Amino acid sequence: MILIDGKKEAAILREELKKEVLDLKARYNKIPGLTVILIGELAPSKIYVRNKEKSAKEVGLKSEVIKYPDSVDEITILNKIYELNKDDSVSGILVQLPLPKHINKKKVIEAIRPEKDVDGFHPQNVGNLSSGYESSIPCTPLGCYFLIKKVEPNLSGKKAIVIGRSNLNGKPMTQLLLKENCTVTITHSKTKDLKRECLKGDIIVAAVGIPELVRGDWVKKDTIVIDVGINKTEKGLVGDVNFEEVSKVAKALTPVPGGVGPMTIACLLKNTIECFKRSI
Ligand code: NAD
């Protein structure tokens, strides 16, 4: 079984990005900039943002974090986004989710100029991705895509099963696999007989949030299994895939932690650089 080492792949990607930033700086005398807006004191959000800032600096990006208290009003956030939209030194804007209840997520996402939407959540980017046009692509599914391609460069005709239909993971993952000419089945909480669907997959991407949902007897031999899930349990962090069982049958599998997670941040840096390149 191939253990897909997301940490290693993310480090390789970051090295490539570092070189690209140096090259862009030499050519344009400018560097790409990422601005993250963090609202409130949620511990996981603070950790994510700290990691994003650290990684951005490591590859040589200009990185800025703007912090607001939980009580900030919506208009303050929208006005800050409008200001950043106009700032040429800012290539990418990210508003860390989740937001406090009194702030409308849709309004915030739609306020970001699609050209600076490094998360790929703006409806224009969602539409572009599904139409096969150039767009920012949500970082986690983009990372999964790179990991799958490392194991199997030619995905044409493969049967892919995506578990979960969120805007963050399942739906964009489906679009990326479709673009590679996979035959894709999207499954979700109302799917009947998920095991039977999974057994048809040459590729399975699990993005559910249920610890160890995918069992060893749900997976056929030679399947590439990508585990997006991050679940806190009594035995520590586990994914949506039962690692012990599935590693005995699958062709390749991502661990949790150390699989998809590290790729997500590396892809955010890549998206920031892509936004910069499209802007010059
Ligand atoms: P979500 O809650 O938005 O969506 C979950 C999806 O799973 C839904 O579409 C739902 O229909 C489906 N689902 C629920 N129960 C199901 C069942 N019994 N069978 C089949 N499908 C079922 O979640 P999300 O934001 O897409 O995140 C999914 C998981 O990925 C979570 O564990 C989250 O923590 C993790 N995550 C990881 C990363 C990373 O970088 N590795 C990034 C984002 C999210």
Side-chain angles (χ1 to χ4, degrees):
M1 205 260 324
I2 303 167
L3 182 66
I4 307 174
D5 187 342
K7 247 182 168 168
K8 187 178 115 202
E9 295 304 333
I12 294 170
L13 178 55
R14 283 197 306 272
E15 270 314 302
E16 288 170 13
L17 298 175
K18 210 170 172 175
K19 288 194 190 109
E20 197 172 3
V21 172
L22 284 174
D23 183 47
L24 291 167
K25 193 175 171 186
R27 226 179 321 157
Y28 302 103
N29 198 27
K30 273 204 251 176
I31 51 171
L34 173 66
T35 297
V36 175
I37 296 180
L38 172 64
I39 306 168
E41 297 290 332
L42 276 180
S45 294
K46 282 164 81 174
I47 295 170
Y48 288 141
V49 169
R50 205 181 311 135
N51 289 340
K52 285 169 185 173
E53 189 182 20
K54 186 170 159 267
S55 304
K57 284 189 173 147
E58 270 167 19
V59 303
L61 301 183
K62 179 177 155 283
S63 170
E64 181 192 23
V65 178
I66 302 174
K67 292 179 184 162
Y68 290 100
D70 230 352
S71 57
V72 68
D73 54 7
E74 191 177 273
I75 195 68
T76 305
I77 300 300
L78 294 176
N79 283 336
K80 178 49 80 179
I81 293 172
Y82 300 143
E83 188 188 312
L84 296 170
N85 281 344
K86 286 190 245 152
D87 183 342
D88 283 344
S89 72
V90 176
S91 324
I93 304 167
L94 181 153
V95 181
Q96 183 64 43
L97 301 177
L99 299 174
K101 284 203 172 64
H102 65 279
I103 298 181
N104 185 318
K105 181 170 101 177
K106 184 167 181 283
K107 266 195 199 166
V108 167
I109 289 173
E110 291 182 3
I112 299 172
R113 255 181 69 193
E115 294 83 357
K116 296 192 179 193
D117 164 37
V118 276
D119 259 338
F121 295 161
H122 191 286
Q124 189 171 311
N125 282 320
V126 175
N128 279 342
L129 176 62
S130 68
S131 304
Y133 301 136
E134 197 172 57
S135 67
S136 280
I137 298 166
C139 306
T140 301
L142 184 60
C144 295
Y145 166 82
F146 287 136
L147 294 178
I148 296 169
K149 292 278 280 185
K150 279 273 168 182
V151 181
E152 179 57 71
N154 181 10
L155 302 179
S156 184
K158 301 277 182 205
K159 177 102 181 127
I161 313 297
V162 177
I163 318 177
R165 57 176 161 185
S166 70
N167 293 339
L168 181 67
N169 290 310
K171 285 181 193 153
M173 191 69 239
T174 300
Q175 297 299 343
L176 287 169
L177 292 165
L178 261 182
K179 238 174 143 176
E180 290 290 314
N181 299 315
C182 289
T183 303
V184 191
T185 302
I186 265 213
T187 63
H188 46 77
S189 56
K190 300 287 183 284
T191 296
K192 291 193 175 122
D193 206 344
L194 185 59
K195 174 180 174 181
R196 193 171 63 117
E197 296 302 332
C198 285
L199 277 167
K200 297 177 198 160
D202 302 309
I203 299 161
I204 297 172
V205 181
V208 192
I210 299 181
E212 302 180 320
L213 174 72
V214 179
R215 307 296 303 261
D217 61 353
W218 291 27
V219 177
K220 66 183 172 67
K221 186 164 88 52
D222 288 339
T223 300
I224 300 170
V225 183
I226 304 293
D227 191 351
V228 181
I230 303 175
N231 308 293
K232 269 192 192 153
T233 68
E234 279 171 6
K235 60 175 178 174
L237 276 192
V238 300
D240 292 340
V241 175
N242 185 311
F243 185 88
E244 204 192 321
E245 291 178 12
V246 173
S247 61
K248 291 194 179 110
V249 274
K251 172 180 173 179
L253 173 62
T254 57
V256 175
V260 173
M263 283 301 282
T264 298
I265 293 189
C267 287
L268 169 68
L269 310 178
K270 183 172 175 56
N271 279 353
T272 306
I273 295 170
E274 294 303 321
C275 286
F276 174 83
K277 288 196 290 187
R278 287 196 287 268
S279 75
I280 47 177

